[in-house]
Amino acid sequence: MSSRSYKDAVEHLNSLQTNAAALEAARASGSSRLSEFAIPEMLEYLGRIGYSPHDLNALNVIHITGTKGKGSTSAFTDSILRHALPSARIGLYTSPHLVAVRERIRINGTPISEEQFATYFFQIWDRLVANDVRQFPSTSLMPGYFRFVTLLAFHVFLSLKVDATVLEVGVGGTYDSTNIVPKPVVTGITALGIDHVTVLGKTLEEIAWQKGGIFKVCVRTTSMISSLTSNPQEGVPAITVNQPVEALRVLEERAHALKASSYGVIPVEPTLSNIELGTELSDTFVTALKEARWPGRCQTVKDPKRQNVTWYLDGAHTVESLECCMQWFASPKVGLGQGESKPVRVLIFNCTSGRSGSSFLGTLHSGITAQLSLHKSDETPNQFFDYVIFCTNVTYADGHFKGDLTTVAIAEDDLTQLKTQHELATAWSSLVSDFPASRIHVLPSIEHAVNEIEKLQGPAGVKVLVAGSLHLVGGAIEASGLSNVAL
């Protein structure tokens, strides 16, 4: 029998990735097949590993989607459940991972072990190989990468008999692989914005339609509170944070069309923005929010090996999240500094999946300008960063990825010619015309970027902002050896 280690599981899983050529062909064709067959195929895969959709109801799922904040909301929800129900077993499924794929599947806040991952992985793999009869001739023997990990999460949570599950949608909602749970406890939508336009649509209305697809058909009740507390056998409440008017209209229509038990827009809790000053929330909730950990999002990490370097990690990859990123980083207690000496600031940036790099860089620069004005700084926006580095998401300088970070979704010529990175460098030069060309670096790997950071010194230290891609942030954690302190 072949080896069944964690490394073997990761290699098998990586074989299920869709390569760049296939992704581009799907985008170009505008084929609706992925949407048309997404849920039927996922249900078929579920049956082939021995489960029915009804089995998933035992997981007591809280299903969360959105454009910005769905991962953070999932992490906060998980923390609240664990603090409010300390004897319960809580499952958390999120994506993507930062350094190790097993991060996606957590029990009581901790990723499953390498041994657990390998054991459960090959149980699923073997069942799919053995049960190879398919309803649709065009359905592949094995599901794709995300579908497989989602099936694996369901298998792990059912095997370990979790009491509740926080389930984050991968992309969209309507056709997402997670959207096969017949009766979640509640469905929720975080802030919406423009992202994944080739899959979800180019307008907020189209995107809202996709996200609202997690609302579920059910028996109507008159009150969200009653459906949550008095009769858990009835109804699936649908909730959302406040959205632009056009998005709210579509979400309400979706809730009605899918016969959600109730539909509510959750008001903002104003005290959350400065929880230290007090809030009407219970002490349990406050503690849970404070102790929630969600690495790679507005995260400050002091480098234990490079004494003068502090890393600021934020996988922001939409216009809205990059605006928040700069509100965080370009503030006195973070990137601005409060002493007389200016720190050396470096931006390490990349973007993926056809996103608009030039637009994102414009958002960063506008954010810097606004923050410097807000804090009455005498610095100029064009000199805020001393160096900018545009690198690929390749982990190591020898051209290889860490196994868990391997991707085949980037075209080979893009990687070898650094096409995206050169485009970003050109965009930055156009945006900040007086920025010294010698301080703009285009590099083939994240390790190359880390090596450049090690050359820098400054009396107020070196502050490195890594942004634009969660894959980049995860690679930076790996390449700089920060896993023990960042994760």
Side-chain angles (χ1 to χ4, degrees), residues 427-445:
W428 183 263
S429 296
S430 299
L431 188 68
V432 189
S433 58
D434 58 348
F435 200 89
S438 61
R439 296 193 172 198
I440 302 175
H441 299 287
V442 171
L443 301 174
S445 77

Side-chain angles (χ1 to χ4, degrees), residues 135-439:
Q135 178 180 354
F136 306 104
S138 56
T139 299
S140 61
L141 174 66
M142 289 292 178
Y145 187 106
F146 183 75
R147 286 180 174 183
F148 193 103
V149 181
T150 303
L151 291 167
L152 177 59
F154 288 144
H155 178 50
V156 170
F157 295 152
L158 287 166
S159 298
L160 296 180
K161 295 180 170 56
V162 298
D163 298 295
T165 300
V166 181
L167 187 67
E168 182 198 5
V169 165
V171 175
T174 299
Y175 304 114
D176 187 73
S177 302
T178 63
N179 199 27
I180 59 172
V181 182
K183 188 175 288 186
V185 175
V186 64
T187 56
I189 298 181
T190 66
L192 298 183
I194 304 298
D195 196 19
H196 297 291
V197 294
T198 58
V199 177
L200 304 181
K202 298 180 180 179
T203 68
L204 207 54
E205 291 94 334
E206 290 175 308
I207 291 171
W209 188 92
Q210 293 282 356
K211 304 289 184 180
I214 68 169
F215 298 158
K216 294 293 181 294
V217 176
C218 55
V219 179
R220 295 190 64 85
T221 62
T222 58
S223 162
M224 180 182 300
I225 299 301
S226 67
S227 65
L228 278 170
T229 60
S230 63
N231 190 351
Q233 297 303 312
E234 288 189 358
V236 180
I239 59 176
T240 178
V241 299
N242 198 20
Q243 312 280 4
V245 174
E246 62 272 30
L248 284 177
R249 176 180 54 79
V250 174
L251 291 178
E252 185 171 9
E253 290 172 355
R254 289 290 269 161
H256 290 158
L258 295 174
K259 297 181 173 62
S261 64
S262 58
Y263 169 76
V265 179
I266 305 301
V268 174
E269 169 56 54
T271 58
L272 282 180
S273 60
N274 199 339
I275 205 168
E276 300 293 343
L277 297 180
T279 176
E280 294 182 3
L281 296 175
S282 71
D283 290 342
T284 298
F285 271 55
V286 171
T287 301
L289 293 174
K290 287 182 177 180
E291 295 186 1
R293 297 195 74 246
W294 195 229
R297 288 80 169 177
C298 294
Q299 182 183 17
T300 302
V301 180
K302 182 68 178 175
D303 196 315
K305 296 186 298 184
R306 306 166 186 88
Q307 295 300 316
N308 68 323
V309 175
T310 303
W311 299 85
Y312 299 86
L313 310 175
D314 192 1
H317 54 274
T318 67
V319 168
E320 294 84 0
S321 59
L322 285 165
E323 289 173 348
C324 292
C325 173
M326 293 318 301
Q327 290 170 11
W328 163 67
F329 182 70
S331 61
K333 293 183 179 181
V334 187
L336 272 182
Q338 295 175 293
E340 293 183 2
S341 299
K342 174 183 178 293
V344 175
R345 298 192 199 98
V346 186
L347 171 66
I348 300 179
F349 189 88
N350 191 29
C351 61
T352 57
S353 302
R355 295 182 172 96
S356 175
S358 59
S359 173
F360 287 176
L361 293 176
T363 298
L364 287 178
H365 192 263
S366 297
I368 293 168
T369 302
Q371 288 296 106
L372 293 180
S373 174
L374 175 66
H375 297 294
K376 298 180 171 56
S377 171
D378 57 3
E379 291 191 47
T380 59
N382 287 9
Q383 278 74 52
F384 182 79
F385 286 112
D386 298 282
Y387 299 88
V388 292
I389 298 174
F390 302 109
C391 67
T392 71
N393 289 346
V394 174
T395 317
Y396 303 121
D398 64 3
H400 290 88
F401 289 90
K402 180 182 186 294
D404 298 73
L405 300 177
T406 298
T407 179
V408 297
I410 304 172
E412 188 64 30
D413 60 343
D414 192 349
L415 281 178
T416 56
Q417 299 173 24
L418 305 180
K419 178 182 175 183
T420 296
Q421 290 66 45
H422 282 295
E423 290 174 351
L424 290 168
T426 299
W428 183 263
S429 296
S430 299
L431 188 68
V432 189
S433 58
D434 58 348
F435 200 89
S438 61
R439 296 193 172 198

Side-chain angles (χ1 to χ4, degrees), residues 44-125:
E44 184 173 310
Y45 288 126
L46 183 71
R48 285 173 54 200
I49 65 171
Y51 296 114
S52 71
H54 178 75
D55 293 331
L56 302 181
N57 289 335
L59 298 177
N60 293 316
V61 167
I62 297 173
H63 204 189
I64 298 171
T65 190
T67 305
K68 185 169 72 73
K70 63 186 174 76
S72 302
T73 299
S74 298
F76 284 131
T77 303
D78 169 70
S79 184
I80 290 169
L81 288 175
R82 287 188 286 111
H83 282 79
L85 304 169
S87 62
R89 180 173 288 175
I90 308 300
L92 173 64
Y93 178 58
T94 59
S95 60
H97 58 276
L98 290 177
V99 175
V101 65
R102 60 192 180 87
E103 297 167 26
R104 298 182 182 218
I105 304 172
R106 297 174 184 253
I107 302 294
N108 288 342
T110 301
I112 60 174
S113 68
E114 291 187 355
E115 292 76 16
Q116 286 176 309
F117 186 95
T119 296
Y120 290 120
F121 179 94
F122 284 111
Q123 288 174 358
I124 294 294
W125 187 277

